[in-house]
Amino acid sequence: MQTLLLVALLGSLAAVSAVPTENVKWCVKSEKELEKCNALAAKAPVFTCVKRVTTIECIKAIKAGEADAITLDGGDIEIAGLNSYDLAPIIAEDYGTTSSGTCYYAVAVVKKGTAFTINELQGKKSCHTGVGKSAGWKIPVGTLLSMNLMQWSGIEDSPVEDAVSNFFSASCAPGSAPGSKLCQLCAGDCSKTHREPYYDYEGAFKCLKDGAGDVAFVKHLTVPDSEKPNYELLCKDGTRAPIDDYRTCHLARVSAHAVVSRKDPQLADFIWNSLSSVQDFKLFSSEDYPPSKDLMFKDSTARLVRVPANTDSFLYLGAEYVSIVHSLTKERASSASSAIKWCTVGHAETLKCDIWIVNSDANIACRTGTTVEGCIEMIMSGDADAMAVDGGQVYTAGNCGLVPAMVEQYSADLCSNPGEQSSYFAVAVVKRSSGLTWNTLKGHRSCHTGLGRTAGWNIPMGLIYNQTHDCDFTKFFSSGCAPGSEPSSSFCSQCVGSGKAVGDESKCKASADEEYYGYAGAFRCLVEDAGDVAFIKHTIVPENSNGERLTLTSLNLSYECVIYINLKHPPPLLVKGKGPKWARGLNANDYQLICPGQPAGVEISEYATCNLAAVPAHAVVTRPETHDKVVKILHEQQAKFGGSDGSFRMFHSELGKNLLFKDSTKCLQTIPKGTSYDTFLGKEYMTAINALRQCSESTPELEKSCTFHPCQQNI
């Protein structure tokens, strides 16, 4: 009985927590901020005010539900996003078109008339906004470390604060241990509160202005217009520049301050709507509460902008910021760092990668993501290093700061005599008996390799959009299977998942666990009459018909034992003989290609003249700093496993189709370091995909998060 009562009570609590709150509980950290918040609450009673002493106490209060929101800078957004707090940015400050929009610039400000450069900062006195803050600590310290101007052996030997203390002769870095060198220049208690006069942007500038320090690390909007002639910026190239030249002379671009809250879409909507409804109150001014600045929001804020849904702290802060900040957590290299962490999606890819590990001489490690976009995010964060993706996914990865490192080559001749970049044709395949043409496709069912994939979505849907100028493709196709679509979409209705009768969570998933995913999957969708047209690669029909499709036939007993011992999951039943059931007995002559401008279908072999587009080959993507390492190891791996025989074959899939790499790959070829994703994809493909991106439904959520503002991109 007590158990039942407890369950009922917990259920009631869960139900209450799901109901939108009646008030937005805003967390403030000073008496002046509380004064402004109370004034806001008097004008807009939907707001109430919760006071805590420090930022971390506010973060904890929001996590516990005692408060709902606070505006934080990048450094604190990063902390709030840690697993222990799990908060996320929901609304960004926008500093206006005359400034930098939803970005700001971290700068090093010095008095005009002094003669030192950034390369001569050692031994000078420094003013910081606070330990852990973005523009005042993480960016300048990370920049000095990455430029090898400041020496630090790593966190295993000493905290980074020791390196800063040894570099500067004295500092004010609020939040440091009282009595330390980092508090020596402070005028108050050295806390990260307004009890310390040199805290935050205005305080760090005051530290410089008062003559306590030689350099102040602040944001580009900190120096008042009237005082700009008296100050200069230190540039990373060793020069100086006027204060207004921050666009070309800065340490880094940083994502704007943002309102953070719990990961609750209803609460985010409520906070946004509440802020949007505020009238007759100056949200972005602190002039009525002198001498304080930047209360609740930065005074330089022009407006607020909604952050895309599902954007976590890492995605909001962006690749450049995270790359710099990673230098603050430097650890000694370990043996594991010599391996590249390959990201897999789905059970079958994980199995193949595990077999790769067994054979790779510790040069390969495997990581598993739920989707390709999930893997891209893992590569961005360093949880994984690389994976091979198609052109549409190269586009998304590039917008998230990754770069192409190697490209699949499908011609053996071009492996030995490198020439033009490898490519393939995107084609539309129908059954010969259907009589369908490109002009009669409307109203029929479609089979796609996956949402956002090149041959399976971007190219055909881009062509259809150019015809209809309508982003609602459900008006064109009656139904279909486009793995990765929303479960409720008509583009999931024809998907079959893993083939289970009930409770199949794989249905419409963008992984090999969905039987209609990928090139072979989309063709299977057509073969099994789940669709009337399949958008695939030109080689897929011949590869899966006329007895060409083979499964595993030659594993010896000892190798099977190795698989069972080393894999987390046992392999599925291995079927001897030719082809899976769906592909057995298929005749390529039963299928045709259709394309714009052709009044009737043509033979499968005529792909060179009847196709939707020639598109770039699949490519391996990675972070810019790991390009050389990935290239080196993959060259070594394909020298061992790139052939047509051996214990492991990189470009052959025994337990599925096109796992890790395309099975038609003959070799991987290096993409020169510094090649951007748009250069790799080419002008024609970029034009097509940029047109399709006018349809937000065709833009992956990850890409939306990565392109929310320009500070997220590498510069």
Side-chain angles (χ1 to χ4, degrees):
M1 185 65 177
Q2 288 180 332
T3 301
L4 291 175
L5 288 173
L6 178 59
V7 170
L9 176 60
L10 290 174
S12 299
L13 290 173
V16 169
S17 66
V19 176
T21 179
E22 295 180 358
N23 298 99
V24 176
K25 302 184 289 293
W26 204 274
C27 199
V28 299
K29 301 178 293 180
S30 69
E31 289 301 324
K32 287 292 184 181
E33 200 165 43
L34 179 61
E35 186 179 339
K36 179 178 178 179
C37 185
N38 284 332
L40 170 63
K43 289 280 188 180
V46 71
F47 291 94
T48 59
C49 308
V50 176
K51 186 174 182 297
R52 296 291 187 270
V53 176
T54 65
T55 297
I56 198 67
E57 288 183 14
C58 276
I59 290 173
K60 290 178 179 178
I62 296 171
K63 169 69 174 176
E66 298 164 359
D68 296 319
I70 186 175
T71 306
L72 300 177
D73 89 324
D76 291 326
I77 290 172
E78 183 185 7
I79 293 171
L82 297 175
N83 289 337
S84 51
Y85 305 117
D86 201 30
L87 306 185
I90 59 171
I91 300 166
E93 294 181 342
D94 187 318
Y95 306 119
T97 55
T98 58
S99 177
S100 53
T102 51
C103 306
Y104 67 88
Y105 293 83
V107 295
V109 178
V110 294
K111 287 183 177 178
K112 186 178 288 187
T114 54
F116 58 88
T117 68
I118 194 171
N119 300 317
E120 300 166 321
L121 277 180
Q122 188 166 4
K124 298 297 188 290
K125 296 176 292 183
S126 60
C127 304
H128 306 263
T129 59
V131 172
K133 305 283 274 184
S134 288
W137 182 264
K138 292 191 172 183
I139 294 300
V141 174
T143 299
L144 292 171
L145 287 170
S146 63
M147 293 176 67
N148 294 318
L149 297 175
M150 182 184 295
Q151 302 304 311
W152 182 44
S153 58
I155 197 168
E156 294 178 345
D157 287 334
S158 63
V160 72
E161 286 84 351
D162 289 355
V164 180
S165 292
N166 294 331
F167 185 79
F168 294 110
S169 61
S171 304
C172 178
S176 302
S180 69
K181 275 181 67 177
L182 293 177
C183 286
Q184 188 173 330
L185 302 182
C186 292
D189 63 1
C190 195
S191 66
K192 286 173 66 174
T193 70
H194 291 286
R195 294 194 303 268
E196 170 51 62
Y198 292 165
Y199 170 62
D200 216 348
Y201 297 115
E202 301 300 325
F205 176 64
K206 179 175 172 59
C207 169
L208 173 65
K209 182 179 179 180
D210 290 350
D214 301 311
V215 59
F217 298 111
V218 291
K219 65 187 289 188
H220 71 287
L221 297 169
T222 302
V223 181
D225 289 342
S226 61
E227 300 192 54
K228 286 180 180 178
N230 302 321
Y231 295 90
E232 291 179 313
L233 302 176
L234 297 182
C235 310
K236 289 196 288 186
D237 64 2
T239 63
R240 288 189 174 205
I243 294 296
D244 284 334
D245 287 357
Y246 55 82
R247 289 182 178 86
T248 55
C249 178
H250 56 264
L251 305 182
R253 290 188 301 183
V254 184
S255 300
H257 291 212
V259 177
V260 301
S261 186
R262 296 180 295 282
K263 292 179 179 177
D264 181 337
Q266 285 184 304
L267 179 58
D269 288 342
F270 185 63
I271 294 171
W272 170 254
N273 292 334
S274 299
L275 287 169
S276 300
S277 66
V278 171
Q279 296 180 348
D280 301 321
F281 186 82
K282 294 181 285 188
L283 270 180
F284 313 131
S285 172
S286 303
E287 63 183 6
D288 294 336
Y289 315 96
S292 296
K293 301 282 189 180
D294 301 326
L295 300 176
M296 297 184 69
F297 298 95
K298 293 288 156 270
D299 294 343
S300 53
T301 303
R303 65 187 182 115
L304 298 175
V305 180
R306 188 74 184 266
V307 174
N310 303 316
T311 302
D312 61 17
S313 298
F314 172 78
L315 291 176
Y316 179 79
L317 295 172
E320 184 190 23
Y321 178 91
V322 174
S323 178
I324 291 175
V325 169
H326 274 172
S327 63
L328 302 180
T329 57
K330 181 172 62 177
E331 298 178 2
R332 290 195 188 98
S334 64
S335 58
S337 66
S338 63
I340 57 173
K341 301 184 290 288
W342 200 266
C343 200
T344 68
V345 178
H347 182 62
E349 281 206 339
T350 301
L351 291 175
K352 181 176 178 180
C353 195
D354 283 342
I355 298 171
W356 193 4
I357 289 177
V358 174
N359 292 272
S360 71
D361 296 328
N363 281 322
I364 300 296
C366 299
R367 299 291 184 269
T368 301
T370 55
T371 63
V372 172
E373 284 70 34
C375 274
I376 290 172
E377 189 170 350
M378 290 172 68
I379 296 170
M380 291 168 63
S381 67
D383 291 335
D385 294 322
M387 76 180 306
V389 297
D390 93 325
Q393 293 155 343
V394 169
Y395 182 90
T396 296
N399 274 292
C400 290
L402 304 186
V403 296
M406 301 193 81
V407 61
E408 294 179 348
Q409 175 58 258
Y410 309 121
S411 168
D413 290 340
L414 290 177
C415 285
S416 54
N417 297 294
E420 62 185 71
Q421 180 177 299
S422 184
S423 63
Y424 62 93
F425 292 101
V427 297
V429 179
V430 298
K431 292 180 179 178
R432 184 184 295 270
S433 59
S434 70
L436 281 175
T437 69
W438 184 265
N439 292 330
T440 60
L441 272 184
K442 187 172 182 180
H444 288 83
R445 302 165 300 161
S446 55
C447 301
H448 306 264
T449 58
L451 187 69
R453 298 285 296 270
T454 297
W457 185 270
N458 294 338
I459 295 300
M461 300 315 235
L463 290 172
I464 291 170
Y465 173 78
N466 286 336
Q467 291 176 202
T468 64
H469 301 290
D470 190 341
C471 290
D472 186 357
F473 296 116
T474 62
K475 295 178 182 177
F476 192 88
F477 290 114
S478 61
S479 61
C481 178
S485 300
E486 290 294 322
S488 59
S489 168
S490 63
F491 284 109
C492 279
S493 62
Q494 298 298 324
C495 295
V496 294
S498 63
K500 294 179 181 178
V502 293
D504 189 358
E505 297 181 355
S506 300
K507 183 178 172 66
C508 204
K509 295 293 185 184
S511 78
D513 294 339
E514 161 60 60
E515 292 182 346
Y516 289 170
Y517 174 70
Y519 295 120
F523 181 43
R524 179 178 179 178
C525 168
L526 173 66
V527 169
E528 297 184 342
D529 201 36
D532 303 305
V533 59
F535 298 111
I536 52 179
K537 177 181 173 181
H538 72 281
T539 63
I540 298 306
V541 174
E543 286 175 2
N544 289 273
S545 58
N546 302 338
E548 291 299 321
R549 182 70 165 87
L550 302 179
T551 57
L552 186 61
T553 59
S554 58
L555 282 183
N556 59 43
L557 179 60
S558 61
Y559 191 63
E560 290 189 33
C561 289
V562 170
I563 295 176
Y564 279 101
I565 292 170
N566 286 280
L567 302 190
K568 297 176 183 177
H569 311 287
L573 179 64
L574 305 177
V575 180
K576 309 288 184 179
K578 289 190 174 183
K581 289 182 180 180
W582 71 266
R584 292 178 190 173
L586 287 184
N587 189 331
N589 291 330
D590 293 335
Y591 299 89
Q592 289 184 313
L593 302 179
I594 60 172
C595 54
Q598 283 279 8
V602 304
E603 299 304 318
I604 293 295
S605 59
E606 296 182 36
Y607 56 82
T609 55
C610 183
N611 60 73
L612 307 185
V615 295
H618 292 210
V620 175
V621 294
T622 188
R623 299 180 301 283
E625 65 270 22
T626 52
H627 175 280
D628 291 348
K629 175 182 173 181
V630 167
V631 168
K632 177 179 181 294
I633 291 179
L634 285 180
H635 270 305
E636 294 171 351
Q637 292 295 298
Q638 75 171 351
K640 297 178 181 177
F641 310 118
S644 58
D645 54 18
S647 58
F648 174 73
R649 297 160 63 186
M650 287 175 63
F651 311 131
H652 182 73
S653 303
E654 298 282 10
L655 306 176
K657 189 70 174 173
N658 299 319
L659 303 177
L660 306 184
F661 304 97
K662 291 289 152 276
D663 292 346
S664 54
T665 303
K666 305 304 180 186
C667 68
L668 298 174
Q669 294 178 317
T670 303
I671 299 172
K673 190 173 185 177
T675 302
S676 64
Y677 74 96
D678 51 346
T679 299
F680 168 75
L681 292 174
K683 184 179 296 185
E684 183 179 288
Y685 187 80
M686 289 297 295
T687 299
I689 198 168
N690 285 334
L692 188 59
R693 285 305 189 258
Q694 296 180 58
C695 302
S696 61
E697 296 83 0
S698 292
T699 304
E701 291 300 318
L702 174 63
E703 191 177 311
K704 291 178 183 177
S705 294
C706 286
T707 55
F708 170 60
H709 51 68
C711 336
Q712 296 165 311
Q713 310 304 307
N714 288 317
I715 58 173

